[in-house]
Amino acid sequence: MSWFESFVLGLVQGLTEFLPISSSAHLRLTAAFAGWQDPGAAFTAITQIGTEAAVIIYFRKDIGRIISTWSRSLFNRELRHDHDAQMGWLVIVGSIPIGVLGITLKDAIEGPFRDLRLIATTLIVMGVVLGIADRLAARDETGGRHRAAKQRKTLTDLSVKDGLLYGVCQAMALIPGVSRSGATISGGLLMGYTRESAARYSFLLAIPAVLASGVYELKDAGQGHVSWGPTVFATIIAFVVGYAVIAWFMKFISNKSFMPFVIYRILLGIALFALVAAGTLSPHAGELAG
């Protein structure tokens, strides 16, 4: 991998990690369209450490408060009913599904799941799901001619059951094209949470899973066509760009719809299917290139 490739892929990772459009799919597609070799699951997982570092810094006050209260609650019973202490446990519980499935499906994640036809399918299907979830949220927030607006849940209403359901949604993002934020935010909206609450828990929930995945894949870094230097460079680029994107995204969702992302996902999926069907792009483009 050249330094230029690592710069572009790091930029793509930072731009797409927090948006509900799938960063892993865009890394895969960028390499395929450019005629580069697929950077692989290890490269993707490691560069995500950069974007998660951006999450940690952006939410540093929330994270510090949660860790502090959760740690103290282990020895102080009175703190166990505190919302921050409960959030600590809920993040742990919600991380279980992706941890189990990530190890179980490792070979599929690095192989069959990277087929461009599957990516096109997940882009479209999850786009439709996100659109439905967004529409339901908008209906509750605005009400209608014959119904009053409905109060949606916030993170103070988060239960163990909902935390696990969030975790299952996050685990779906092991398939490129699903999108970690897209799946968890859609799940949150369908469970009745506000857009801001769904996004905030989605980002907090991703921290343990992404960091664990990145550390686990470190053993494979520097192998094949992707060396350590470009990987680290791409991770730094992803961090800088990712921080700017998450700051913008949290402001965007406070009063905007997810429909632009829904339309983009569906159009990209259709275009990808068309290119593969026409023979312009191989379903395994990039796997043997370079």
Side-chain angles (χ1 to χ4, degrees), residues 52-166:
E52 287 314 303
V55 173
I56 292 173
I57 292 177
Y58 186 85
F59 290 111
R60 60 189 180 278
K61 293 182 180 179
D62 291 0
I63 294 171
R65 193 176 62 250
I66 290 170
I67 293 176
S68 173
T69 308
W70 176 80
S71 300
R72 288 183 289 121
S73 73
L74 297 176
F75 307 98
N76 187 339
R77 289 179 178 273
E78 294 180 359
L79 289 175
R80 294 177 187 177
H81 297 290
D82 187 283
H83 173 65
D84 289 325
Q86 293 174 346
M87 277 295 294
W89 285 114
L90 289 169
V91 169
I92 293 173
V93 169
S95 300
I96 295 174
I98 197 170
V100 173
L101 292 177
I103 295 174
T104 304
L105 302 175
K106 185 178 186 301
D107 291 339
I109 295 169
E110 296 176 348
F113 283 2
R114 302 184 76 77
D115 188 302
L116 295 183
R117 291 165 297 190
L118 177 60
I119 291 176
T121 301
T122 53
L123 281 170
I124 295 172
V125 172
M126 285 306 302
V128 172
V129 172
L130 178 60
I132 294 172
D134 185 65
R135 182 66 66 181
L136 291 174
R139 188 179 66 181
D140 286 348
E141 291 168 357
T142 60
R145 185 174 181 180
H146 302 293
R147 10 194 285 290
K150 180 181 177 181
Q151 184 71 33
R152 293 181 70 84
K153 294 187 286 186
T154 66
L155 290 186
T156 56
D157 302 306
L158 191 63
S159 64
V160 173
K161 176 186 174 183
D162 287 356
L164 278 173
L165 289 174
Y166 265 109

Side-chain angles (χ1 to χ4, degrees), residues 6-275:
S6 67
F7 171 79
V8 172
L9 294 175
L11 183 64
V12 170
Q13 168 63 29
L15 286 171
T16 59
E17 172 67 16
F18 303 116
L19 305 182
I21 56 177
S22 179
S23 61
S24 57
H26 279 75
L27 288 175
R28 176 77 178 89
L29 293 176
T30 299
F33 285 131
W36 301 335
Q37 189 169 345
D38 183 357
F43 177 87
T44 301
I46 293 170
T47 55
Q48 285 177 338
I49 293 178
T51 45
E52 287 314 303
V55 173
I56 292 173
I57 292 177
Y58 186 85
F59 290 111
R60 60 189 180 278
K61 293 182 180 179
D62 291 0
I63 294 171
R65 193 176 62 250
I66 290 170
I67 293 176
S68 173
T69 308
W70 176 80
S71 300
R72 288 183 289 121
S73 73
L74 297 176
F75 307 98
N76 187 339
R77 289 179 178 273
E78 294 180 359
L79 289 175
R80 294 177 187 177
H81 297 290
D82 187 283
H83 173 65
D84 289 325
Q86 293 174 346
M87 277 295 294
W89 285 114
L90 289 169
V91 169
I92 293 173
V93 169
S95 300
I96 295 174
I98 197 170
V100 173
L101 292 177
I103 295 174
T104 304
L105 302 175
K106 185 178 186 301
D107 291 339
I109 295 169
E110 296 176 348
F113 283 2
R114 302 184 76 77
D115 188 302
L116 295 183
R117 291 165 297 190
L118 177 60
I119 291 176
T121 301
T122 53
L123 281 170
I124 295 172
V125 172
M126 285 306 302
V128 172
V129 172
L130 178 60
I132 294 172
D134 185 65
R135 182 66 66 181
L136 291 174
R139 188 179 66 181
D140 286 348
E141 291 168 357
T142 60
R145 185 174 181 180
H146 302 293
R147 10 194 285 290
K150 180 181 177 181
Q151 184 71 33
R152 293 181 70 84
K153 294 187 286 186
T154 66
L155 290 186
T156 56
D157 302 306
L158 191 63
S159 64
V160 173
K161 176 186 174 183
D162 287 356
L164 278 173
L165 289 174
Y166 265 109
V168 171
C169 292
Q170 177 179 239
M172 293 171 61
L174 292 170
I175 305 174
V178 170
S179 169
R180 187 189 312 276
S181 62
T184 49
I185 289 174
S186 295
L189 294 178
L190 290 173
M191 286 187 281
Y193 287 87
T194 64
R195 289 187 178 90
E196 194 275 338
S197 294
R200 184 174 290 268
Y201 184 62
S202 170
F203 294 151
L204 293 176
L205 184 61
I207 294 173
V210 172
L211 292 182
S213 175
V215 171
Y216 179 78
E217 295 289 359
L218 284 175
K219 66 182 186 338
D220 295 328
Q223 298 182 12
H225 77 293
V226 184
S227 59
W228 263 107
T231 301
V232 173
F233 181 55
T235 303
I236 294 173
I237 296 297
F239 163 73
V240 175
V241 177
Y243 186 88
V245 171
I246 192 173
W248 170 82
F249 186 65
M250 291 304 294
K251 293 179 181 178
F252 175 86
I253 61 174
S254 63
N255 56 14
K256 296 291 194 302
S257 166
F258 286 114
M259 290 310 295
F261 303 112
V262 172
I263 295 171
Y264 173 77
R265 289 182 64 106
I266 294 174
L267 291 179
L268 179 60
I270 293 173
L272 191 52
F273 266 130
L275 290 172

